[in-house]
Structures are given as structure tokens and as C-alpha cells.
Amino acid sequence: MNANAIINIAKSQLGLEEDDYRAVLERTTGKASLRLMTNPDKLKVIDEMKRLGFKAKTATKPYIRLIHALWKSCHRLGVVEDGSRTALRAFCANRLPSNVSTDPDLLNYEQASPIIEALKSMEKRGKAK
């Protein structure tokens, strides 16, 4: 699912009227339209909508759940110092092209595959210690 879809779902779930929705966009990014926003801007909007009460559903795609499970495993093994979602986004950003969303929940299978392989290698190193 892409960031625009998530934002629209959040808008609906929060019951935001158009004026209130535009105010959230403007306050969060300085831009009143999703068309004017970069992917990082859209992620800020998603984070703000979560702060306002939007509850994102758990990922249903197995490869996305695998990314989160591997990240948590690497954190437990001490391979990753910061097990937060923000740190996972930064990890993804370092391994993906700049035009791809860094939120692992928004990746398709082809984009997620190199992240999964990198995390598997890290987990294997952590288990070998």
C-alpha cells in the first residue's frame, strides 16, 4: 500500500473534514496537497495522523511481517542497537533508491527482498556470536 492510500485511510478513520485534513497537511509539512509532497513529507503526515489516533492495521503481507520480525531479532541479538521503527526506516533508506519509500510497510516484494536478505545476514552474524 502506498503512502497516499494510507493517508486517505487515516483521514477517513479520523473523520477529518476537508479543511481539517488540509490543516494537518499544512501544519505537518508546510504543503496543503499530497501532490506537492515528497515521500519523507508523506511519512511525517502518517506519523502525525498516528499521533492523532489513527491505528494502522498490522501488515498482512508475509514479507513485511518478516522484515519486522528480523529487525526485532537483530535487536535482541545485539546486532542492532536501536530497535525502533525510526531506526528501521533509516536502515531501509540506506539500502533503497531515493525514489522509494523508506517505510517498510509500503514496500513491494521486489523492494523488500534486499532488506530481508541484509537482515537475514545480520541475524546470522548475531547468532554466530
Side-chain angles (χ1 to χ4, degrees):
M1 186 174 300
N2 69 36
N4 289 6
I6 292 172
I7 291 169
N8 285 317
I9 290 168
K11 173 187 171 190
S12 175
Q13 190 183 99
L14 294 171
L16 295 175
E17 297 293 327
E18 193 64 25
D19 291 340
D20 296 329
Y21 166 69
R22 298 285 173 193
V24 169
L25 298 181
E26 183 79 32
R27 184 183 75 237
T28 306
T29 66
K31 300 168 188 161
S33 170
L34 290 178
R35 289 188 199 134
L36 302 174
M37 292 182 194
T38 62
N39 276 334
D41 288 337
K42 292 174 185 178
L43 293 176
K44 288 178 189 173
V45 171
I46 292 170
D47 288 341
E48 176 61 13
M49 291 189 160
K50 285 178 182 176
R51 190 189 70 74
L52 294 172
F54 169 59
K55 301 287 187 211
K57 304 246 189 245
T58 304
T60 57
K61 297 177 182 169
Y63 63 89
I64 293 173
R65 288 194 314 263
L66 179 59
I67 289 173
H68 289 282
L70 287 168
W71 185 253
K72 288 177 185 173
S73 175
C74 287
H75 180 63
R76 279 192 305 274
L77 293 169
V79 178
V80 173
E81 278 187 39
D82 183 355
S84 71
R85 186 170 180 75
T86 303
L88 177 56
R89 280 185 183 166
F91 178 82
C92 291
N94 289 332
R95 283 156 184 77
L96 294 168
S98 60
N99 63 337
V100 175
S101 173
T102 59
D103 188 339
D105 294 345
L106 303 179
L107 301 177
N108 62 35
Y109 183 77
E110 291 77 29
Q111 295 164 337
S113 291
I115 302 299
I116 291 169
E117 293 308 313
L119 288 170
K120 282 181 179 178
S121 295
M122 291 168 56
E123 183 184 46
K124 186 176 180 180
R125 284 193 308 268
K127 287 180 177 178
K129 286 184 181 180

